[in-house]
Amino acid sequence: MQQKTLAEVLQNEAAANGLDDKLAKLIEAVAACGVEISSEVACGALLGVLGLAGSENVQGEEQKKLDVISNEIVTKAVLATGVVAACASEEMDHCVAAQSSERLPYLICYDPLDGSSNIDINVSIGTIFSVLPNPREDASAPTDVDFLQPGDRQLAAGYIMYGPQTQMALTFGRGVMLFTLDPRTKTYVLTNDNVKVAEQAKEFAINCSNMRHWEPPVQRYIKELLAGAEGVRGKDFNMRWVAAMVAEVHRILCRGGIFMYPRDNRDPSKPGKLRLMYEANPMSWLMEQAGGRATNGHVRILSIQPEKLHQRVAVFLGAREEVELVTSYHNAA
Ligand code: AHG
Ligand code: MN
Ligand code: MN
């Protein structure tokens, strides 16, 4: 079977589904960033890109050199496309608007390097992105408030994972496609054209070191999973934690399961650790498009009206039956 390249897939999308050529151009630009970041990641210490940058981001988190390098690569590339009115990143205090005298159609949010704690130990990391419409009708420069649109308005979303292979998951709201980067030709090749997540699961992902801080519905759900075949669930579950959302989501897209980063009692001002605009929204859309579910324990993540650019949110995503169960425990509490 002849495998299609990303360029060919985007041409097909334009012909069959009316994909805007400007959106196709933006996706090509993000994919090209993935090629560049992937090669920096692959060289690691050889290029001197490991370790701390010696700075903090707006959320008070220490930045690694690769967080900063990846942010520069993506920011420069998306602003150069001529189709992005403004971009917002986990690593920047505020959005950055393009210099343009004409109205540009898109906004883009990204987590340039997800899973930073894995960088120095050569474990999977990734780039996550979410494209939104520019709500401005004129050429004026968007500001942070223009980004505050629910995830249901996304026009494209995906991630690029730098693992043993570099792979990109992509959705335009017509299912999920998975591409593998051929490092010999620097071309993305479609290796799964319709990714599906099983409705049931036997694997879960949560950072159990936080167990004592969790709220009662999460305590109950995890206790039942841990009780396995002897408990109310009547079956054994397996557990994994990579500490990179991109890798957990990728595993769930490939072999099923549920991923959780709940809110907890450590800092009541933070409703979870993960960020709505850069992590939760794009990953939730991919999950739903693959037949899975994504909630904050109460409602669909994609229905949440964001109030702040760097807003955090609790995340439960993956297999439909498991996400529905843990959500029902929250809503019954
Ligand atoms: P980032 O590296 O972009 O800050 O994101 C890390 C996130 C996410 O990818 C992962 O699921 C989670 O943090 C891991 O958190 P713990 O270190 O608390 O397990
Ligand atoms: Mn992240
Ligand atoms: Mn990050």
Side-chain angles (χ1 to χ4, degrees), residues 61 67 90-91 111 113-117 207 210 241 243-246 248 259 261 273-275 279:
E61 296 162 340
D67 287 322
E90 181 186 286
E91 302 299 339
D111 175 353
L113 214 284
D114 175 67
S116 303
S117 71
N207 184 342
N210 299 321
W241 188 251
M245 186 191 202
V246 84
E248 321 280 4
F259 165 86
Y261 211 115
K273 174 175 185 187
L274 299 174
R275 282 131 299 208
E279 295 168 320

Side-chain angles (χ1 to χ4, degrees), residues 308-328:
K308 284 189 302 198
L309 196 55
H310 296 287
Q311 183 167 334
R312 295 176 191 255
V313 66
V315 174
F316 300 84
L317 59 75
R320 184 179 68 79
E321 288 189 7
E322 295 303 321
V323 175
E324 284 177 354
L325 183 63
V326 70
T327 303
S328 75

